[in-house]
Amino acid sequence: MKKDNETMILAIETSCDETAVAILRDGVKLEANVVASQIESHQRFGGVVPELASRHHVEQMTIVLEEAFRQADMTMDEIDVVAVTEGPGLVGALLVGISTAKALAFAHQKRLVGVHHIAGHIYANRLQEEFQFPIIALVVSGGHTELILMKEHGLFEVLGETRDDAAGEAYDKVARTMGLPYPGGPEVDRLAQLGQDTLAFPRAWLEEDSFDFSFSGLKSAVINTLHNAKQKGIELKQEDIAASFQASIVDVLVEKTFRAAQQYKAKQVLLAGGVAANRGLRTAITTKFADQNIVLSIPPLWLCTDNAAMIGAAAMIAYQKGNQADWTLNANPGLDLEMYGKR
Ligand code: KG4
Ligand code: ZN
């Protein structure tokens, strides 16, 4: 049951290949969290097929919604805010969530709030512990690699970002060349645990003071190494390729995050996004910050990959700032994080 002074948020996420609905009390306490993954449907194509994703979202949405209300033992009457991922993401996929949110909010006369997907990944951490500013957030997912400075709730300053591939994208492409199934990140991570960093792949540090990233050179180096070995009939250990690739990515991510934390005197450092599930990254960043007087937040695995709980957590802040969307709310595949924060 909901008390009068509490805010109940129904959150919907459909930006990529998970249909997800969550119900949150005051944006921090989860009452329901349901995620329907479509990974199996996309696997035989080696990546997410946008048309297929949209169709799956349409098929799954009502089922996932009903399951969330069942888990929370609530009805729409008790909901105050309907929150939904507005962007970035696949336009057709986003539209399914947005149409659902608008229909529910309109029919039941509730507030409608649009949420930035990356703000969601960051706010997944607030379901674990309260934020302490300034925060440095390392966002690493299939579509994003960014170092973000937050001085207060809901405001985001992008210190650096990838100049080419996102970290997850590099993982998925390397995995595909290695003949591993989609999504490749978890597979490469698993193999990396069993191998050694023997191949000394390049680390792209870029300019000395830059917080930007670049992974395309590394990706090409791995792919070239694989092709050359194949041509010469040399057998490389899959585990060592994975471990060497992972060491190169993780080194750069952790070092730049550490430098940003020092430069901006961070009180908290947090990991966000699908690649935050990576065991190599989780271990390396924990070691690097072990003797620092900084809170290091690493979400549990179920909060790293796409879910609606994180969208609800970010929506609470947007709602408290008075950000209410109207019925013109639309999918915004290129939604800018800094602009979103300044609304
Ligand atoms: O955040 P997410 O679920 O979706 C996006 O918003 O992009 O991230 C998905 C990405 C995929 O590229 C996937 O391969 C990667 O996260 N990923 C991992 C691991 N688990 C998921 N990458 C490396 N190691 C992992 N354990
Ligand atoms: Zn995501």
Side-chain angles (χ1 to χ4, degrees):
M1 275 302 285
K2 170 179 126 66
K3 297 198 192 98
D4 280 349
N5 59 348
E6 289 176 329
T7 305
M8 284 293 176
I9 300 180
L10 173 73
I12 301 174
E13 151 68 39
T14 61
S15 68
C16 192
D17 58 350
E18 335 274 348
T19 315
V21 174
I23 298 173
L24 293 87
R25 196 181 294 268
D26 290 332
V28 287
K29 187 169 178 303
L30 262 185
E31 297 294 330
N33 186 43
V34 185
V35 182
S37 172
Q38 316 172 352
I39 281 181
E40 277 176 24
S41 305
H42 298 283
Q43 237 157 14
R44 64 195 166 109
F45 301 106
V48 176
V49 183
E51 277 303 314
L52 200 59
S54 315
R55 212 173 314 156
H56 273 296
H57 286 311
V58 172
E59 285 167 9
Q60 290 298 314
M61 183 47 77
T62 317
I63 302 168
V64 173
L65 263 172
E66 282 174 358
E67 173 61 16
F69 278 111
R70 199 195 57 75
Q71 265 186 23
D73 193 20
M74 264 179 212
T75 65
M76 207 44 216
D77 289 345
E78 286 164 90
I79 300 294
D80 302 292
V81 179
V82 181
V84 63
T85 307
E86 181 181 338
L90 303 168
V91 66
L94 287 165
L95 274 171
V96 178
I98 291 172
S99 311
T100 309
K102 277 160 86 166
L104 283 170
F106 184 74
H108 296 271
Q109 296 291 301
K110 308 294 181 185
R111 289 250 222 156
L112 180 66
V113 172
V115 176
H116 192 290
H117 183 76
I118 295 302
H121 273 301
I122 292 172
Y123 270 88
N125 287 280
R126 196 170 176 237
L127 295 169
Q128 301 294 115
E129 58 198 328
E130 186 49 273
F131 281 4
Q132 290 184 48
F133 302 103
I135 286 176
I136 292 290
L138 173 65
V139 178
V140 273
S141 74
H144 293 261
T145 304
E146 278 144 29
L147 263 175
I148 288 160
L149 169 66
M150 288 179 74
K151 291 180 184 154
E152 58 183 278
H153 273 304
L155 263 187
F156 310 92
E157 211 176 300
V158 179
L159 302 177
E161 59 198 337
T162 180
R163 295 185 184 172
D164 37 63
D165 291 351
E169 199 179 348
Y171 264 97
D172 294 339
K173 286 179 180 165
V174 162
R176 195 191 296 194
T177 315
M178 291 171 73
L180 302 170
Y182 176 84
E187 277 296 306
V188 174
D189 189 13
R190 186 182 61 78
L191 286 172
Q193 307 299 313
L194 309 168
Q196 299 294 327
D197 175 13
T198 53
L199 295 160
F201 288 131
R203 273 99 169 123
W205 298 110
L206 307 175
E207 303 81 41
E208 203 182 325
D209 57 348
S210 173
F211 289 120
D212 278 353
F213 301 96
S214 167
F215 299 115
S216 69
L218 167 63
K219 181 189 68 189
S220 303
V222 179
I223 293 172
N224 288 340
T225 304
L226 284 166
H227 285 166
N228 287 342
K230 198 173 171 191
Q231 271 175 358
K232 291 180 188 151
I234 301 169
E235 186 108 14
L236 289 175
K237 263 181 80 183
Q238 292 262 53
E239 292 83 355
D240 290 345
I241 300 166
S244 304
F245 166 74
Q246 181 145 305
S248 172
I249 286 215
V250 167
D251 260 7
V252 179
L253 290 176
V254 171
E255 193 55 43
K256 291 207 177 204
T257 306
F258 188 75
R259 214 155 34 74
Q262 290 197 312
Q263 188 165 324
Y264 292 95
K265 301 192 168 35
K267 288 214 173 77
Q268 185 174 3
V269 165
L270 56 88
L271 281 186
V275 183
N278 185 271
R279 278 178 284 175
L281 175 60
R282 296 166 84 92
T283 308
I285 204 157
T286 305
T287 309
K288 185 82 182 174
F289 283 90
D291 58 359
Q292 300 294 308
N293 196 15
I294 296 174
V295 178
L296 177 66
S297 301
I298 303 180
L301 298 187
W302 60 274
L303 274 174
C304 290
T305 44
D306 288 348
N307 62 82
M310 67 185 199
I311 300 303
M316 185 68 195
I317 301 299
Y319 171 70
Q320 285 171 330
K321 279 188 357 186
N323 285 345
Q324 186 176 357
D326 60 25
W327 308 123
T328 63
L329 180 69
N330 204 351
N332 190 344
L335 185 61
D336 183 272
L337 182 63
E338 290 186 347
M339 300 274 280
Y340 163 80
K342 286 180 190 147
R343 276 180 186 170

